[in-house]
Amino acid sequence: RKEVEQDPGPFNVPEGATVAFNCTYSNSASQSFFWYRQDCRKEPKLLMSVYSSGNEDGRFTAQLNRASQYISLLIRDSKLSDSATYLCVVNGGANNLFFGTGTRLTVIP
Amino acid sequence: DGGITQSPKYLFRKEGQNVTLSCEQNLNHDAMYWYRQDPGQGLRLIYYSQIVNDFQKGDIAEGYSVSREKKESFPLTVTSAQKNPTAFYLCASSRQGRETQYFGPGTRLLVL
């Protein structure tokens, strides 16, 4: 079983739509969780860390469910500039992060 | 201007050749990492270093070598033993292990 699993998509949504991505992780001892954004042929960039209580940053909301071992990312009022691949990242213990394969989002005009 | 730099942006390797990818950071981060990304796959850890003069193998270290002689620098050598080196190589750093990692712009390695 992979450490981190994501639906690869693609998700094609119209501008203004709300879209949600889920990610599951296998290591129940994981302590740190992140969402990164990666544009085509570029490096991943931190979008937001995910906290136990859930956190919001503008149009983006991240939730963590430790009991079910999944993380979600909600994007409201999608913009064309949100088109990218979203990587779910989980600390695997020690000093390693495990990356999901990413979920590709395309926002359509 | 703090950040992570990688060079070159594109690198071509001939059969049997060793090549070295550069990674430098001026963020005063202790930990540095090398990942490989292949199409349709997540990032896979090659090597990481938590402190100068110390480094550990990641999941796919075979065919690669690293050094950490300075805090700012963590070069990766792709040796001739790596039979499938074509990939996007990403260097990252963090203040310490388990903390948020920040990535350089990456190096695309292609085999001639």
Side-chain angles (χ1 to χ4, degrees), chain B:
Chain B
D1 224 325
I4 305 174
T5 58
Q6 290 186 242
S7 61
K9 189 172 182 179
Y10 296 96
L11 185 58
F12 298 92
R13 193 191 92 163
K14 294 180 182 177
E15 197 84 29
Q17 186 181 38
N18 291 356
V19 292
T20 298
L21 284 61
S22 167
C23 177
E24 305 276 332
Q25 55 97 1
N26 60 6
L27 300 168
N28 199 32
H29 284 174
D30 290 310
M32 296 186 75
Y33 311 81
W34 274 105
Y35 293 92
R36 168 182 174 142
Q37 188 175 36
D38 295 278
Q41 295 194 39
L43 276 68
R44 292 184 289 168
L45 183 65
I46 304 172
Y47 268 98
Y48 65 100
S49 167
Q50 298 181 63
I51 197 167
V52 174
N53 292 323
D54 186 51
F55 48 82
Q56 281 78 42
K57 293 182 179 181
D59 300 319
I60 54 166
E62 186 175 349
Y64 300 97
S65 66
V66 294
S67 62
R68 186 88 187 275
E69 296 176 3
K70 298 187 298 182
K71 187 175 184 178
E72 302 79 19
S73 178
F74 192 40
L76 173 75
T77 296
V78 183
T79 74
S80 57
Q82 172 49 245
K83 298 306 178 190
N84 185 23
T86 297
F88 187 38
Y89 289 87
L90 289 157
C91 178
S93 71
S94 65
R95 282 192 308 172
Q96 294 174 7
R98 300 194 187 192
E99 295 197 14
T100 306
Q101 293 182 17
Y102 298 91
F103 287 84
T107 293
R108 290 197 180 274
L109 177 61
L110 300 166
V111 177
L112 296 176

Side-chain angles (χ1 to χ4, degrees), chain A residues 31-32 34 36 38 40-46 49 87 91 93-102, chain B residues 10 33 35 37 40-43 45 48 50 59 88 90 97-106 108:
Chain A
Q31 296 294 321
S32 306
F34 310 92
Y36 279 74
Q38 187 173 25
C40 188
R41 303 179 73 81
K42 299 283 189 182
E43 74 274 25
K45 293 186 178 178
L46 179 68
S49 301
L87 305 177
N91 162 247
N95 296 291
N96 293 346
L97 294 184
F98 290 99
F99 289 77
T101 54
Chain B
Y10 296 96
Y33 311 81
Y35 293 92
Q37 188 175 36
Q41 295 194 39
L43 276 68
L45 183 65
Y48 65 100
Q50 298 181 63
D59 300 319
F88 187 38
L90 289 157
R98 300 194 187 192
E99 295 197 14
T100 306
Q101 293 182 17
Y102 298 91
F103 287 84
R108 290 197 180 274

Side-chain angles (χ1 to χ4, degrees), chain A residues 6 18 28 63 68 71 77 79 82 86 89 91-92 95 109:
Chain A
Q6 291 183 253
T18 295
S28 60
Q63 295 275 352
S68 302
I71 307 151
D77 188 23
K79 311 289 184 194
D82 293 335
Y86 291 84
V89 183
N91 162 247
N95 296 291

Side-chain angles (χ1 to χ4, degrees), chain A residues 1-59:
Chain A
R1 184 184 172 188
K2 289 183 181 178
E3 295 283 345
V4 179
E5 298 207 52
Q6 291 183 253
D7 180 347
F11 285 66
N12 299 317
V13 303
E15 263 186 296
T18 295
V19 61
F21 308 135
N22 287 328
C23 159
T24 58
Y25 61 95
S26 61
N27 187 348
S28 60
S30 297
Q31 296 294 321
S32 306
F33 309 89
F34 310 92
W35 282 102
Y36 279 74
R37 170 197 169 123
Q38 187 173 25
D39 292 288
C40 188
R41 303 179 73 81
K42 299 283 189 182
E43 74 274 25
K45 293 186 178 178
L46 179 68
L47 180 65
M48 55 199 306
S49 301
V50 186
Y51 303 115
S52 296
S53 55
N55 47 302
E56 188 174 311
D57 182 3
R59 299 181 293 109

